[in-house]
Structures are given as C-alpha cells and as structure tokens.
Amino acid sequence: MSDLVLLSKLANVGVITINNPPVNALSPGVPEGIVEGVATFNADPEVTAIVIIGGGRTFISGADIKEFGKITSGQKSDIGLADKIDLIEQSAKPVVMAIHGQALGGGLEVAMGGHYRVMDPAAKVGQPEVKLGIIPGAAGTQRLPRLAGVAKAMEMCWQGDPISAAEALQHGIVDAVSNGDLLTFAVEFAQGKPVRRVSDLPVAAADPAVSSAARAAAAKRARGLMAAQKAIDAVEAATRMTFAEGVAYERQLFEECLFDEQSKSMIHIFFGEREVAKIPFLAKDTPVLPIKSAAVIGAGTMGGGIAMNYLNAGIPVRLRETSQASLDRGVATITKNYAASVAKGRFTQAWMDSRLALLTPQLTWEGFDTADIIVEAVFENMALKKTIFAELDGIAKADCILATNTSTLDIDEIASATKRPHMVVGHHFFSPANVMRLLEIVRGKDTAPEVLATSMALAKTLRKVGVLVGNCFGFVGNRMFGPYRRVAEQLVIEGADPMAVDKALYDWGMAMGPLAVGDLAGLDVGWRIRQERGEVGSAPIEDALCEMGRYGQKTGAGWYKYDEKRNPAIDPVVTALIEQHRTGHREISAQEIIDRCVGALIDEGKKILEEGIALRPVDIDIIYVNGYGFPAHRGGPMWYGQVGR
Ligand code: 3H9
C-alpha cells in the first residue's frame, strides 16, 4: 500500500487515514488505497468496525481536479471513483466516516459511501462541482437525496455552497457532531453499529414544484451555467430511477458537462485564482509584515466598505473623516450594511456587535502613528491625495504600509509626496468593497518586495483575490474597461439600440451591459477623466449626456431614465440625442456586439501583457471574473480570446 493511505488500529476498530497533503484530493492511488484498507480490515478478525479519517487539515477536498484534463484529452476514460465508493459501501463491517475540515465534491461522495458519518463542529460538507462547471460524478446526486431529501440535495448540488456541521446534522447528512477529539468520538460511535447502506435508502416521491422552483432559481442565479440545470436533472432522476439507473444517468450528464467549454473555463478560473497568488519575482522568504491594526482615511462608500473588510477579519480599524456629518454618515452606512446581513441570517447580532466594537470613528490623526497599514480612500484627485500622503509621511511609523485606493491615478506620483516611496502601494478595491472579491494590488516603481508580499498575504486574510498589477492609467481592470465601453457607444453610433447592446452582453453572461454599468457607476466619472486627459470627443454621446446633467442612476437619468426602484426605461430625449450622432442605421447582430465589445477587452489586454502591467493572461482573467462581472463559465477575456473567438 502506498503512503497515500495509512492503516492503524485502535482497539477493535481499523482506522484508515488519508494522507495526500495539502488537502487530501482523491488523486490516483487514494480511492484505491481506501478500498484496499477496507478489504484488509474486513479480512482482519480482530476488527469489528472501520473509521475513515483525513490526515492533516481536512477530510477530502474532492476528486483531483488536475485529472479532468486527462479525460477530456482522451488519456484516460474515467476518474474511477464511483465504483470504489460502491466497494467501500459493500463492506460487511460498519464504516464510519470522520469528517474534519472539508468533505467537498468527491469527498462528500466518499463520505456518503460510508455507513455513518460523524463530523467535527467546525467542518463543512458540500457538492461544489457546479462551481467547476460540472456536476457530482460519483453518485453524489443519488446518495445525497437519500440522506437529505430531494429539495436540500438539489439546492446543494446546483448552488454548490458548503454547509456547516449543524446544518448537515439537521438534514441527516451526518449522524452526529463530535464534542471532542474526532477520532476518539468516531471510534466510540462505531461500536455495535449495524451496516446501513445509503444506496438502499428510499427517496421521497418527485415533487414537481420543488424541481421547477430550483430550475427557476438556478436560471436566475446561475445564468447560462449548464451544470446548474443538469445538477437539478440528476437529483430529480433519483425520484424516478433505481439507484443504478440514476448513477448511470448522472454519469452521462457529468460527461456532457466535463467535455463542454464551460467546465474547462471554470477549472481555468479555479487554478487561476491560486496561480495569481504566486509572484514569480518575489523570493519565497520575502518577509510578510504583521498587520494587527489598520487606519482608513475617508468614510465614503469605498472607505466604509474597505473598513468592513478589516473588521470582518478581526483587525481593529480607525476610520477618519474631516467632518462629523461625513463620519456619522459613514458609520451609519457600515452599521446598516451589517444589520442587513444579520437580518438575512448571514451573521449573528453578537458577531455584528463584536465587529463594530473594533471600529474607532474619529476626526483626528490619533493612533495613526501606531497603525500597521493606512488606507487612503478619498476623492479621486491627485492634489488631494498628495497632500494626504505628505501628511502621513510625518505621522506613520517607519514600517507602516501606506496604501491608496485610487482606481486610476499614478502610484509613483502619489508616492513622490513622501520620503518613503518603498512603503507606498495601491490597494484598489471594487465597489461595494465589502462584497466584491477583487483587490488589485498596484506596484509602484519603488514599492518594496515586503510591501508586495504583505499585500498579497493580506488579500487572503481579507478573503479577497489579490492580483498584482503594474502602474499605468486605470491599471488592468479600468484600463481595459475604457475601450470596452467606447466600443459599446460606437455600436450605438453605428445604429444599435442601447438596450440591444446591453442585452446582447447580458445574455452572453456579463453581470450587466456596458451602458447600464456606466449609468450605475456614474457617467460623470469618465467625463471628468476625459476632460483631464484631453480626450473630450472620444465618447460624444456620453459627453452630451453629462452636459445635460444626466450622470446615470444617481441623477435618475443617463443612457436610460430610472424610476424610484431604479428600473431602466428608454428615454425619447436620449433617442433624439443618439439620432444626432448616428453615422448609420444598419442592423447590428447580437454576435457582432459581443465580438466587438469583448474583442476590445482582449485587444487592450494584449497591450497590457506586452507592457508587463499584468504578469500573465490568467491574472487579467481573474480580475475580470472577480471585479467586472465577466462570466466565469467563459473563463475571462484572455482565455475566451484563445478558445472562444
Ligand atoms: C469533484 O470532486 C468531482 C466528483 O464529483 C467526482 C467526479 C468523478 N484537486 O485552495 P487552497 C490544490 S470535483 C486538485 O489554496 P485552502 C490547490 O490548487 C472537486 N488540487 O487551500 C492548491 O494547490 P497549489 C470538488 C486541489 O486551504 C492546494 O491544493 N472539490 C484540489 O485555501 C491548496 O488549495 C472542490 O471543488 C482538488 N480537488 O482551501 C474543492 N483542491 O498549492 C476545491 C485543492 O499548488 N478545493 N487543490 O496552489 C477548495 O475549495 C479548497 O482547496 C479547499 C481548501 C476549501 C479544500
């Protein structure tokens, strides 16, 4: 037997420990090792029960995702997991799965192959395959409804979010939650238990209302994602097929997903999110500075959201404003955001109170001299930012990181206002900063390696995807967004309807159409930038809209007019304005709209790569999927540019 699976005995119980660091993926040899262990203990007369447990930090994180490419490229025909799980389930001696960390995907499927499951209170279980564009492929869609019921199984399989031990217990997915050492608990639990095979359990009769509600919810929340609908189909099949038939049907749907571009794109994003954390030019032993306290300047939308990230991570924050009214407004927004999460059941009131207790709103610089990081989040104005950084230079301790949340401005010029440009870095958060996962970490010409290493580590602490980018106007994300939106306007000038432009890109998978995004973000932002950069005229319709005071949603009108609920409607005033700028009236297809707008992203992305502003194409993809509503199932603009065009 290989080292991937270790066998030991505790009194009359055979213990199988999975030993495939870092996260016990089911790489070749692991399922085989477990099956061999089960057979060994079945043949051992001293053993009356078997416990399967994960070594290290987790139970099993799922099938080895790297193996999927071998199937799609024809190197192998199967992951070979479902049949191994059947063999575990066939054990004549009771098998108890002891879950700590995570049992995800194939990990939960293995767990359900056991006769019982016990769980550490902090552990999580889930079927996250849909987030990789696939569905469970080792009978998860057939065993889960037998334990948790059809509705819960459907929800878990199409949404893909892991659930807590308490919830897993409540839904019958596990049989007990441990109250001490997990292995000891599992060994005791195993005593005298009869064999109980999940595949033998009945499934409740089909309820069409449950399936159609799940399909409608998935069509909305997982728009365009084939795997979400197929996950529902597979679970529903359990209500009308035998276990064996259901497994065969699941396999067919799993393969349909696996061979589709959607899953290849989403797997690219999964590994990409981990790849961007690796900075080739940073030595592995680059020091990471401890960040135990933070200070944020500016309690507006961005400053407040940024402060919440630190509070959520348990890091105390001093939040500074220049007037009491602005400070009060900022604190009220933070409180309101937390209260909304409590109302939705995402946090408890006690948790919210403990976060707010870490916040010190203030009008002075008090305590800024001891902060480990100071984040400036004031109005996007170079002169103002330079004044602030010059002032900070006289206040902050020597090893304090000075971060600016600028979304476009030159980091080096901001840093030049200090005598320590090596401590200055851009931390570009995306609105709403407490929700959006992306953090662009902008490297100035003098930014020290330890400031970059700390920023990357901090992104993880703040539960963000940190992507290192170079210093240029708009960095990566906003720089690419400019040409994308310009092309959208150009299409209108050539004859496309604004709504047709937005609809084409929305239907293709973007979170919003490009013109609607302009209205949401504020058309005046781009207008001011064009004026500052001498680019007036490059967006003639948007210039004209701004001259009319139509800045977008915040003024109730932009490309569209908005009612109190912010529903957009066509405004004849805009239709007339467009007519004045029209150079043609040709029919423009949805495909042309997609090709030209996404093409603009790709072309600018290529320039960004040539200039070394982004490290790798995948960095751009991760930025677009996490910060700009680009559909993960299309893999990001650079990936799509290779496979989709
Ligand atoms: C599946 O199970 C299909 C089945 O139905 C069966 C079909 C037949 N495979 O995330 P981390 C790597 S599909 C290969 O930084 P954390 C990861 O790339 C699978 N590699 O750790 C990274 O490598 P590197 C369903 C994997 O503690 C390293 O491990 N399961 C896998 O922040 C550490 O990962 C999932 O979708 C894998 N399954 O988070 C779960 N998992 O160091 C996917 C991780 O070279 N995994 N790696 O960059 C996760 O969500 C997180 O890794 C986890 C740990 C929460 C487990």
PDB file of all heavy atoms in Angstrom, residues 496-519:
ATOM      1  N   ALA A 496     -26.938  50.579 -33.461  1.00  0.00           N
ATOM      2  CA  ALA A 496     -27.520  49.644 -32.487  1.00  0.00           C
ATOM      3  C   ALA A 496     -28.312  50.415 -31.429  1.00  0.00           C
ATOM      4  O   ALA A 496     -27.966  51.535 -31.071  1.00  0.00           O
ATOM      5  CB  ALA A 496     -26.422  48.828 -31.821  1.00  0.00           C
ATOM      6  N   ASP A 497     -29.347  49.770 -30.953  1.00  0.00           N
ATOM      7  CA  ASP A 497     -30.138  50.315 -29.862  1.00  0.00           C
ATOM      8  C   ASP A 497     -29.359  50.156 -28.556  1.00  0.00           C
ATOM      9  O   ASP A 497     -28.782  49.087 -28.343  1.00  0.00           O
ATOM     10  CB  ASP A 497     -31.380  49.428 -29.768  1.00  0.00           C
ATOM     11  CG  ASP A 497     -32.585  50.239 -29.492  1.00  0.00           C
ATOM     12  OD1 ASP A 497     -32.630  51.376 -29.964  1.00  0.00           O
ATOM     13  OD2 ASP A 497     -33.459  49.708 -28.770  1.00  0.00           O
ATOM     14  N   PRO A 498     -29.323  51.153 -27.648  1.00  0.00           N
ATOM     15  CA  PRO A 498     -28.591  50.948 -26.381  1.00  0.00           C
ATOM     16  C   PRO A 498     -29.032  49.684 -25.647  1.00  0.00           C
ATOM     17  O   PRO A 498     -28.208  48.905 -25.168  1.00  0.00           O
ATOM     18  CB  PRO A 498     -28.919  52.200 -25.569  1.00  0.00           C
ATOM     19  CG  PRO A 498     -29.308  53.230 -26.569  1.00  0.00           C
ATOM     20  CD  PRO A 498     -29.880  52.516 -27.744  1.00  0.00           C
ATOM     21  N   MET A 499     -30.358  49.467 -25.616  1.00  0.00           N
ATOM     22  CA  MET A 499     -30.842  48.275 -24.890  1.00  0.00           C
ATOM     23  C   MET A 499     -30.391  46.989 -25.567  1.00  0.00           C
ATOM     24  O   MET A 499     -30.138  45.984 -24.909  1.00  0.00           O
ATOM     25  CB  MET A 499     -32.354  48.298 -24.753  1.00  0.00           C
ATOM     26  CG  MET A 499     -32.766  48.940 -23.445  1.00  0.00           C
ATOM     27  SD  MET A 499     -34.421  48.525 -22.957  1.00  0.00           S
ATOM     28  CE  MET A 499     -34.533  49.476 -21.428  1.00  0.00           C
ATOM     29  N   ALA A 500     -30.288  47.036 -26.905  1.00  0.00           N
ATOM     30  CA  ALA A 500     -29.841  45.832 -27.633  1.00  0.00           C
ATOM     31  C   ALA A 500     -28.376  45.540 -27.301  1.00  0.00           C
ATOM     32  O   ALA A 500     -27.980  44.371 -27.172  1.00  0.00           O
ATOM     33  CB  ALA A 500     -30.015  46.036 -29.130  1.00  0.00           C
ATOM     34  N   VAL A 501     -27.583  46.605 -27.140  1.00  0.00           N
ATOM     35  CA  VAL A 501     -26.168  46.420 -26.785  1.00  0.00           C
ATOM     36  C   VAL A 501     -26.075  45.793 -25.389  1.00  0.00           C
ATOM     37  O   VAL A 501     -25.377  44.783 -25.178  1.00  0.00           O
ATOM     38  CB  VAL A 501     -25.406  47.773 -26.819  1.00  0.00           C
ATOM     39  CG1 VAL A 501     -23.994  47.617 -26.276  1.00  0.00           C
ATOM     40  CG2 VAL A 501     -25.380  48.324 -28.239  1.00  0.00           C
ATOM     41  N   ASP A 502     -26.799  46.378 -24.447  1.00  0.00           N
ATOM     42  CA  ASP A 502     -26.749  45.844 -23.078  1.00  0.00           C
ATOM     43  C   ASP A 502     -27.285  44.416 -23.017  1.00  0.00           C
ATOM     44  O   ASP A 502     -26.726  43.556 -22.335  1.00  0.00           O
ATOM     45  CB  ASP A 502     -27.554  46.756 -22.129  1.00  0.00           C
ATOM     46  CG  ASP A 502     -26.740  47.982 -21.718  1.00  0.00           C
ATOM     47  OD1 ASP A 502     -25.500  47.933 -21.819  1.00  0.00           O
ATOM     48  OD2 ASP A 502     -27.334  48.989 -21.291  1.00  0.00           O
ATOM     49  N   LYS A 503     -28.375  44.177 -23.747  1.00  0.00           N
ATOM     50  CA  LYS A 503     -28.999  42.843 -23.691  1.00  0.00           C
ATOM     51  C   LYS A 503     -28.069  41.774 -24.273  1.00  0.00           C
ATOM     52  O   LYS A 503     -27.939  40.684 -23.717  1.00  0.00           O
ATOM     53  CB  LYS A 503     -30.333  42.856 -24.444  1.00  0.00           C
ATOM     54  CG  LYS A 503     -31.078  41.529 -24.363  1.00  0.00           C
ATOM     55  CD  LYS A 503     -32.455  41.624 -24.990  1.00  0.00           C
ATOM     56  CE  LYS A 503     -33.254  40.333 -24.865  1.00  0.00           C
ATOM     57  NZ  LYS A 503     -32.560  39.108 -25.189  1.00  0.00           N
ATOM     58  N   ALA A 504     -27.405  42.112 -25.378  1.00  0.00           N
ATOM     59  CA  ALA A 504     -26.526  41.118 -26.017  1.00  0.00           C
ATOM     60  C   ALA A 504     -25.451  40.657 -25.028  1.00  0.00           C
ATOM     61  O   ALA A 504     -25.193  39.458 -24.883  1.00  0.00           O
ATOM     62  CB  ALA A 504     -25.881  41.711 -27.261  1.00  0.00           C
ATOM     63  N   LEU A 505     -24.853  41.604 -24.329  1.00  0.00           N
ATOM     64  CA  LEU A 505     -23.756  41.239 -23.415  1.00  0.00           C
ATOM     65  C   LEU A 505     -24.282  40.598 -22.136  1.00  0.00           C
ATOM     66  O   LEU A 505     -23.652  39.696 -21.578  1.00  0.00           O
ATOM     67  CB  LEU A 505     -22.871  42.450 -23.147  1.00  0.00           C
ATOM     68  CG  LEU A 505     -22.004  42.696 -24.391  1.00  0.00           C
ATOM     69  CD1 LEU A 505     -21.707  44.149 -24.606  1.00  0.00           C
ATOM     70  CD2 LEU A 505     -20.724  41.872 -24.336  1.00  0.00           C
ATOM     71  N   TYR A 506     -25.454  41.028 -21.695  1.00  0.00           N
ATOM     72  CA  TYR A 506     -26.065  40.411 -20.512  1.00  0.00           C
ATOM     73  C   TYR A 506     -26.440  38.959 -20.831  1.00  0.00           C
ATOM     74  O   TYR A 506     -26.107  38.036 -20.072  1.00  0.00           O
ATOM     75  CB  TYR A 506     -27.304  41.214 -20.098  1.00  0.00           C
ATOM     76  CG  TYR A 506     -28.051  40.625 -18.938  1.00  0.00           C
ATOM     77  CD1 TYR A 506     -27.645  40.848 -17.630  1.00  0.00           C
ATOM     78  CD2 TYR A 506     -29.176  39.811 -19.149  1.00  0.00           C
ATOM     79  CE1 TYR A 506     -28.337  40.289 -16.559  1.00  0.00           C
ATOM     80  CE2 TYR A 506     -29.869  39.252 -18.088  1.00  0.00           C
ATOM     81  CZ  TYR A 506     -29.443  39.495 -16.802  1.00  0.00           C
ATOM     82  OH  TYR A 506     -30.110  38.936 -15.743  1.00  0.00           O
ATOM     83  N   ASP A 507     -27.073  38.758 -21.960  1.00  0.00           N
ATOM     84  CA  ASP A 507     -27.464  37.392 -22.335  1.00  0.00           C
ATOM     85  C   ASP A 507     -26.239  36.502 -22.521  1.00  0.00           C
ATOM     86  O   ASP A 507     -26.283  35.306 -22.268  1.00  0.00           O
ATOM     87  CB  ASP A 507     -28.286  37.393 -23.635  1.00  0.00           C
ATOM     88  CG  ASP A 507     -29.681  37.960 -23.412  1.00  0.00           C
ATOM     89  OD1 ASP A 507     -30.062  38.145 -22.241  1.00  0.00           O
ATOM     90  OD2 ASP A 507     -30.377  38.234 -24.412  1.00  0.00           O
ATOM     91  N   TRP A 508     -25.159  37.098 -22.961  1.00  0.00           N
ATOM     92  CA  TRP A 508     -23.917  36.338 -23.161  1.00  0.00           C
ATOM     93  C   TRP A 508     -23.314  35.923 -21.816  1.00  0.00           C
ATOM     94  O   TRP A 508     -22.540  34.979 -21.727  1.00  0.00           O
ATOM     95  CB  TRP A 508     -22.941  37.227 -23.948  1.00  0.00           C
ATOM     96  CG  TRP A 508     -21.664  36.596 -24.324  1.00  0.00           C
ATOM     97  CD1 TRP A 508     -21.441  35.701 -25.330  1.00  0.00           C
ATOM     98  CD2 TRP A 508     -20.387  36.823 -23.704  1.00  0.00           C
ATOM     99  NE1 TRP A 508     -20.112  35.364 -25.369  1.00  0.00           N
ATOM    100  CE2 TRP A 508     -19.443  36.038 -24.384  1.00  0.00           C
ATOM    101  CE3 TRP A 508     -19.956  37.623 -22.641  1.00  0.00           C
ATOM    102  CZ2 TRP A 508     -18.092  36.017 -24.037  1.00  0.00           C
ATOM    103  CZ3 TRP A 508     -18.618  37.612 -22.305  1.00  0.00           C
ATOM    104  CH2 TRP A 508     -17.700  36.808 -22.995  1.00  0.00           C
ATOM    105  N   GLY A 509     -23.701  36.667 -20.750  1.00  0.00           N
ATOM    106  CA  GLY A 509     -23.258  36.264 -19.411  1.00  0.00           C
ATOM    107  C   GLY A 509     -22.695  37.375 -18.546  1.00  0.00           C
ATOM    108  O   GLY A 509     -22.451  37.162 -17.359  1.00  0.00           O
ATOM    109  N   MET A 510     -22.468  38.573 -19.125  1.00  0.00           N
ATOM    110  CA  MET A 510     -21.950  39.662 -18.287  1.00  0.00           C
ATOM    111  C   MET A 510     -22.998  40.014 -17.226  1.00  0.00           C
ATOM    112  O   MET A 510     -24.204  39.937 -17.477  1.00  0.00           O
ATOM    113  CB  MET A 510     -21.656  40.915 -19.131  1.00  0.00           C
ATOM    114  CG  MET A 510     -20.566  40.755 -20.171  1.00  0.00           C
ATOM    115  SD  MET A 510     -18.908  40.420 -19.520  1.00  0.00           S
ATOM    116  CE  MET A 510     -18.461  41.962 -18.761  1.00  0.00           C
ATOM    117  N   ALA A 511     -22.524  40.431 -16.041  1.00  0.00           N
ATOM    118  CA  ALA A 511     -23.457  40.760 -14.962  1.00  0.00           C
ATOM    119  C   ALA A 511     -24.381  41.903 -15.368  1.00  0.00           C
ATOM    120  O   ALA A 511     -25.555  41.935 -14.993  1.00  0.00           O
ATOM    121  CB  ALA A 511     -22.688  41.124 -13.698  1.00  0.00           C
ATOM    122  N   MET A 512     -23.851  42.842 -16.133  1.00  0.00           N
ATOM    123  CA  MET A 512     -24.654  43.966 -16.644  1.00  0.00           C
ATOM    124  C   MET A 512     -24.122  44.341 -18.016  1.00  0.00           C
ATOM    125  O   MET A 512     -22.952  44.094 -18.322  1.00  0.00           O
ATOM    126  CB  MET A 512     -24.468  45.206 -15.754  1.00  0.00           C
ATOM    127  CG  MET A 512     -25.224  45.204 -14.473  1.00  0.00           C
ATOM    128  SD  MET A 512     -24.814  46.708 -13.550  1.00  0.00           S
ATOM    129  CE  MET A 512     -26.140  47.772 -14.053  1.00  0.00           C
ATOM    130  N   GLY A 513     -24.951  45.004 -18.800  1.00  0.00           N
ATOM    131  CA  GLY A 513     -24.469  45.519 -20.086  1.00  0.00           C
ATOM    132  C   GLY A 513     -23.574  46.732 -19.859  1.00  0.00           C
ATOM    133  O   GLY A 513     -23.657  47.386 -18.811  1.00  0.00           O
ATOM    134  N   PRO A 514     -22.734  47.087 -20.845  1.00  0.00           N
ATOM    135  CA  PRO A 514     -21.739  48.149 -20.643  1.00  0.00           C
ATOM    136  C   PRO A 514     -22.335  49.546 -20.460  1.00  0.00           C
ATOM    137  O   PRO A 514     -21.770  50.360 -19.734  1.00  0.00           O
ATOM    138  CB  PRO A 514     -20.897  48.095 -21.922  1.00  0.00           C
ATOM    139  CG  PRO A 514     -21.703  47.336 -22.918  1.00  0.00           C
ATOM    140  CD  PRO A 514     -22.603  46.428 -22.152  1.00  0.00           C
ATOM    141  N   LEU A 515     -23.456  49.826 -21.111  1.00  0.00           N
ATOM    142  CA  LEU A 515     -24.038  51.161 -20.978  1.00  0.00           C
ATOM    143  C   LEU A 515     -24.741  51.269 -19.633  1.00  0.00           C
ATOM    144  O   LEU A 515     -24.637  52.287 -18.938  1.00  0.00           O
ATOM    145  CB  LEU A 515     -25.000  51.437 -22.143  1.00  0.00           C
ATOM    146  CG  LEU A 515     -24.345  51.265 -23.528  1.00  0.00           C
ATOM    147  CD1 LEU A 515     -25.365  51.395 -24.642  1.00  0.00           C
ATOM    148  CD2 LEU A 515     -23.217  52.287 -23.719  1.00  0.00           C
ATOM    149  N   ALA A 516     -25.417  50.206 -19.226  1.00  0.00           N
ATOM    150  CA  ALA A 516     -26.067  50.184 -17.913  1.00  0.00           C
ATOM    151  C   ALA A 516     -25.025  50.307 -16.798  1.00  0.00           C
ATOM    152  O   ALA A 516     -25.271  50.960 -15.777  1.00  0.00           O
ATOM    153  CB  ALA A 516     -26.869  48.895 -17.748  1.00  0.00           C
ATOM    154  N   VAL A 517     -23.855  49.712 -16.994  1.00  0.00           N
ATOM    155  CA  VAL A 517     -22.786  49.842 -15.984  1.00  0.00           C
ATOM    156  C   VAL A 517     -22.363  51.304 -15.861  1.00  0.00           C
ATOM    157  O   VAL A 517     -22.150  51.814 -14.765  1.00  0.00           O
ATOM    158  CB  VAL A 517     -21.543  48.994 -16.361  1.00  0.00           C
ATOM    159  CG1 VAL A 517     -20.353  49.362 -15.494  1.00  0.00           C
ATOM    160  CG2 VAL A 517     -21.833  47.522 -16.204  1.00  0.00           C
ATOM    161  N   GLY A 518     -22.277  51.982 -17.002  1.00  0.00           N
ATOM    162  CA  GLY A 518     -21.919  53.407 -16.976  1.00  0.00           C
ATOM    163  C   GLY A 518     -22.911  54.182 -16.135  1.00  0.00           C
ATOM    164  O   GLY A 518     -22.530  55.006 -15.292  1.00  0.00           O
ATOM    165  N   ASP A 519     -24.189  53.901 -16.337  1.00  0.00           N
ATOM    166  CA  ASP A 519     -25.224  54.589 -15.552  1.00  0.00           C
ATOM    167  C   ASP A 519     -25.092  54.269 -14.070  1.00  0.00           C
ATOM    168  O   ASP A 519     -25.342  55.116 -13.218  1.00  0.00           O
ATOM    169  CB  ASP A 519     -26.624  54.158 -16.030  1.00  0.00           C
ATOM    170  CG  ASP A 519     -27.105  54.982 -17.221  1.00  0.00           C
ATOM    171  OD1 ASP A 519     -26.362  55.876 -17.669  1.00  0.00           O
ATOM    172  OD2 ASP A 519     -28.234  54.720 -17.694  1.00  0.00           O
TER     173      ASP A 519
END
